[in-house]
Amino acid sequence: MTERPIALVTGASRGVGEAVARALGPTHHLILGGRDESALAKLAAELPDARPWPVELTRLTEADVADVERLDVLVHSAGVAMLGRIADQPADNWRTTMELNVVAVAELTRLLLPALRRARGHVVCVNSGSGQRANPEWASYAASKFALRAFADALRLEEPELRVTTVYPGRVATDMQRGVRAQEGGAYEPDKYLTPESVARAVLATINAGPDAHLTELTIRPSAGPVN
């Protein structure tokens, strides 16, 4: 067993999840969760101590985490955004969004609670500005992020020996944001967004706050451009 603290990061194949993994790489043994097995393997090869964990988060079983006996950090970064007016959003869009953004988070956390308790670990939920305010055409995504916030708040109260942090970034320059802008019919303007590395540094700050500090919420916005 590695002597490094152990961190599991979902959505690690790209975007914020990849940036968080790279930020934790110098100090942690990393379990890189995601669906793109080749991207995870490539990232693992570039880090000092990491292994890919290809997984479908919406179909988790106990067998998927059976070898994780201790976990110091769990970062929930995977997510999906499907935009549209409420009048035009079919139930399947809501189900898909809730399954990945909320249900999968709750189930993975539940399965890993024994490992987290052993380490008195830290759960970080990468949320969104949409977890603080809802805008037109963002109803299903915002609802999932409000639910994620509620999940984190309840987990913090139910598991007082764990640290639980919600990070609320504004728009981030990722492939997901490119897809969001396409859905909005607008230009992808990365200079107006946060970089994934800036969000990763914020996540790292919450993890490194010290054993006597529990940073429960952190909001980070781009210095220019839209806030959500």
Side-chain angles (χ1 to χ4, degrees):
M1 177 66 68
T2 178
E3 294 182 1
R4 287 169 170 248
I6 301 169
L8 190 157
V9 182
T10 69
S13 61
R14 63 179 186 165
V16 171
E18 178 185 349
V20 170
R22 291 187 183 279
L24 291 170
T27 53
H28 287 68
H29 169 70
L30 287 166
I31 304 169
L32 307 173
R35 282 186 275 192
D36 189 334
E37 188 169 357
S38 61
L40 295 174
K42 182 177 182 294
L43 177 60
E46 296 173 9
L47 297 173
D49 184 7
R51 67 175 175 91
W53 183 53
V55 68
E56 174 50 68
L57 290 171
T58 59
R59 294 196 294 270
L60 287 167
T61 68
E62 290 186 5
D64 290 316
V65 298
D67 61 342
V68 184
E69 297 181 357
R70 175 188 173 92
L71 189 63
D72 298 273
V73 178
L74 171 59
V75 180
H76 293 291
S77 184
V80 64
M82 304 174 73
L83 308 189
R85 295 180 62 82
I86 293 169
D88 302 324
Q89 286 261 307
D92 281 349
N93 285 17
W94 285 82
R95 292 190 185 102
T96 297
T97 301
M98 290 293 179
E99 278 289 331
L100 183 57
N101 293 1
V102 186
V103 178
V105 171
E107 180 64 355
L108 181 58
T109 304
R110 182 186 74 84
L111 293 172
L112 288 171
L113 272 177
L116 286 161
R117 288 167 179 157
R118 289 187 191 101
R120 297 172 66 92
H122 193 162
V123 179
V124 180
C125 295
V126 179
N127 200 294
S128 165
S130 292
Q132 296 171 311
R133 53 178 281 178
N135 289 308
E137 300 189 10
W138 287 74
S140 62
Y141 182 73
S144 74
K145 292 301 186 178
F146 270 74
L148 182 61
R149 177 182 184 177
F151 166 78
D153 289 348
L155 179 67
R156 191 180 301 116
L157 295 173
E158 291 181 10
E159 301 288 338
E161 292 192 348
L162 304 184
R163 288 189 292 168
V164 182
T165 303
T166 296
V167 177
Y168 300 98
R171 292 186 187 252
V172 187
T174 63
D175 288 343
M176 179 177 174
Q177 189 62 233
R178 194 183 298 275
V180 164
R181 293 301 290 146
Q183 291 180 71
E184 292 178 317
Y188 177 70
E189 302 174 289
D191 290 346
K192 294 183 178 180
Y193 312 145
L194 293 162
T195 65
E197 292 75 21
S198 290
V199 180
R201 284 192 290 270
V203 171
L204 194 62
T206 72
I207 293 168
N208 291 336
D212 61 327
H214 189 166
L215 186 54
T216 59
E217 293 186 307
L218 179 63
T219 297
I220 174 172
R221 294 288 184 264
S223 57
V227 298
N228 69 316

